Amino acid sequence: MWELARIVFLGTMAGVLGTGAGGILLGLGRIPQGAELSFHLAFSSGVMLAVVFHDLLPEALALRGPGVTFAGVVLGTAALPLLKPLFFPTGRGSLIQTGLFLGLGIAAHNFPEGLAIGAGYLASQELGFSLALALCLHNIPEGMAMAAPLLAGGVGRTSAVLLTIAAGLPMGLGALAGGLFGQLTPTTLAGTLGFAAGAMLFLVFHELLPEANCLDFPLAATLGAIFGVMLGLGLLVIH
């Protein structure tokens, strides 16, 4: 029981400290506007694309091949537009919707990553801790990317930080599942990873990049996307 509690605590802290730290770092500065906001939105796109194509999809394909993986991608892509009317009441600004949508995508891929922490900890404590540290670090820019549109849309700094923390909580749930079951079946895990990848791809191409380009700072958006991909890949190489 105590070992399971440690696994859940480790996964939860990796999630909430990573995304929460990103929210705090951005919340301590000025609210991003103009070219800076365009950079942050595109930067978040780059980070998410790195996660999708270097982490989520290769792992899913290795587990169960293209059929289950692509079915998960399709479901993940379709889920967000179907859920949007349920999550967002009328009258909210598009930047707030973008930030909340981004949080939903972060939460979706934090679950299978928490599962990896739980299963890794069962294999060895050192592996569990190293995975938790690596995932915590690469959640920081995701938390910053989520906080940027929230702050620019008028959400208070404290609320923005709390929302970024909430996006990290599913990592604790994933760690609990990993600690209880060791691992999900390859088909279930591949589908879950594909679902998370589809959700993130929808966010990138339907929300983040269009919003970044609408601000009329194309160079800032381009540089942001490039630096986001580079940083995302750099952090993913750690684990």
Side-chain angles (χ1 to χ4, degrees), residues 33-54:
Q33 300 288 343
E36 185 179 355
L37 177 59
S38 181
F39 179 91
H40 276 292
L41 292 171
F43 177 85
S44 67
S45 299
V47 171
M48 295 179 83
L49 288 175
V51 170
V52 167
F53 290 109
H54 187 274

Side-chain angles (χ1 to χ4, degrees), residues 69-230:
T69 300
F70 293 156
V73 171
V74 170
L75 289 174
T77 303
L80 291 191
L82 292 175
L83 292 173
K84 186 173 183 178
L86 300 178
F87 280 91
F88 304 115
T90 58
R92 280 190 168 176
S94 62
L95 285 173
I96 296 178
Q97 290 185 8
T98 297
L100 293 175
F101 249 27
L102 180 53
L104 193 61
I106 292 170
H109 89 265
N110 273 341
F111 179 83
E113 291 182 344
L115 183 69
I117 292 175
Y121 188 95
L122 290 179
S124 74
Q125 291 187 8
E126 292 77 11
L127 177 58
F129 278 111
S130 65
L131 283 172
L133 178 59
L135 293 170
C136 181
L137 289 174
H138 101 245
N139 271 352
I140 293 175
E142 294 181 0
M144 294 176 65
M146 178 182 173
L150 291 175
L151 292 169
V155 173
R157 297 177 190 272
T158 300
S159 296
V161 171
L162 291 176
L163 286 168
T164 60
I165 289 174
L169 290 175
M171 193 171 285
L173 297 176
L176 174 62
L180 286 173
F181 307 115
Q183 63 179 15
L184 298 178
T185 66
T187 298
T188 301
L189 184 53
T192 302
L193 292 167
F195 183 94
M200 295 177 77
L201 289 172
F202 179 86
L203 287 167
V204 167
F205 294 113
H206 187 266
E207 296 284 333
L208 296 176
L209 287 179
E211 193 68 42
N213 287 318
C214 280
L215 296 172
D216 292 329
F217 295 98
L219 180 59
T222 300
L223 293 177
I226 292 171
F227 284 127
V229 169
M230 293 173 62

